[in-house]
Amino acid sequence: MAQQLIKVPPTKNTLLKLKKQTKFLEEGHDLLERKRELLTRLVYERIGEYRQLRETAEQALAKAYGCLSITHLRMGSRGIHQAALGAEPALEVDILPRRALGVEYPAVTSERVPLKPVGLLGTDVSFDATRDHLANAAVLLARLAEVEIALHRLLEEQRKAQKRVNALKYNIIPLYRRTIHFIQSSLEEEERNTLFQVKLLRQRADNKDATAAA
């Protein structure tokens, strides 16, 4: 099976253009390869951070829901609902865009707000403890959400970079190099044919001169 070539005229001008384009593609490949390596490094860093945060968040949630179970036993669902209506937010959350290696993801900042006692009749002391534990868990979950979204988008960009690197390395650049080699061979063959014809013409001219002299 014949190897695929770029359909261009085999001229010196085309050869120069293809060489410049090949150099540009090789430089682009090197840049993409460095980007892919940096993305891979960031992904591994985020994976470690994600695992640690997830474990901490799961522990915080388990503790919060354990406290909530106690509160539920003491106050009941209706009592918790009425007390929650009078409770103020326990944390402030800000979401801003952040960019790393061309990948944009939300940067989540969450801060605890000092809890104010609800002070309703029939409110159990465990209610404030539950609010405190849930607020701590929410801070961790906000951070976990940021890391998880960043990890997902970095992984997606890393896969795209890998596909582009592979396409350049195994398809596009070899295609240009094969075409360059073909044009070079064609030009060399044409040059050899031209030299052969010039040599042949000289021999004929020399033979005519020799015949005329005789």
Side-chain angles (χ1 to χ4, degrees), residues 85-153:
L85 291 175
E88 295 183 4
L91 69 158
E92 295 178 351
V93 179
D94 290 325
I95 302 175
L96 296 173
R98 181 178 294 179
R99 185 179 293 271
L101 295 173
V103 181
E104 186 173 306
Y105 58 91
V108 183
T109 303
S110 56
E111 294 182 1
R112 285 289 312 271
V113 176
L115 291 178
K116 295 180 180 179
V118 176
L120 295 176
L121 184 64
T123 302
D124 189 81
V125 68
S126 65
F127 179 74
D128 288 334
T130 298
R131 291 172 61 203
D132 185 61
H133 289 311
L134 286 173
N136 289 335
V139 170
L140 291 170
L141 288 173
R143 176 62 182 156
L144 180 63
E146 175 190 328
V147 173
E148 186 171 358
I149 293 173
L151 177 60
H152 174 75
R153 293 184 181 177

